Amino acid sequence: MATTTATITLSSSDLTGDALSLSTSATLTKGNSVTGLDQTSGVARKTFTSQDEVIIFDANEYNASGSTVTDPGFKVYLRNPSTVSSEYFTIKIADGSGITGSPAASVAGENMGRLYAGDWTLFPWDASADADITVAPSVATAMTLEYMIIYHV
């Protein structure tokens, strides 16, 4: 069984009245199981030169009907390596309709939020719900996104 551990540490001397220091970790496992996630798409980078919304992870490629993946225990990692404050990605869980070549504002789906310069996120994803993960850059100049999915087959 593969073991993949995610760790996060939050610290601040001035966010609250007292110093803040939190650290937690989790072993990433497939849904409803103690079996570790053992597959990855590999860390990839994509550079965008338009503000069009793009599917980063297509649910049809990962759900049970389209692959050998047997559970919804996916974890998605996204990182915006930019250092320019106006460069962010809008992240959305979308149903896939109308995405190709369309602006982010016209695509049906749930807006998860923005990934600002220097930010990263790790979140669970249920690809069996036929919900694609999409991103849309805030600017049409070259912006890079780092991304990966961790799963179990």
Side-chain angles (χ1 to χ4, degrees), residues 30-117:
K30 72 182 217 172
N32 261 348
S33 174
V34 295
T35 302
L37 298 178
D38 57 8
Q39 301 293 313
T40 177
S41 63
V43 178
R45 290 179 149 238
K46 179 173 178 67
T47 300
F48 299 83
T49 56
S50 80
Q51 290 179 279
D52 290 348
E53 185 165 14
V54 174
I55 297 172
I56 293 297
F57 294 111
D58 185 337
N60 289 327
E61 293 179 22
Y62 291 95
N63 69 26
S65 65
S67 72
T68 58
V69 175
T70 58
D71 69 83
F74 299 94
K75 304 297 185 249
V76 174
Y77 165 78
L78 302 172
R79 184 175 81 91
N80 179 354
S82 177
T83 58
V84 178
S85 63
S86 62
E87 294 184 349
Y88 61 84
F89 290 94
T90 299
I91 305 168
K92 191 182 285 186
I93 301 290
D95 66 7
S97 63
I99 289 175
T100 304
S102 60
S106 67
V107 177
E110 187 68 31
N111 187 350
M112 292 181 59
R114 293 178 176 175
L115 194 62
Y116 288 98

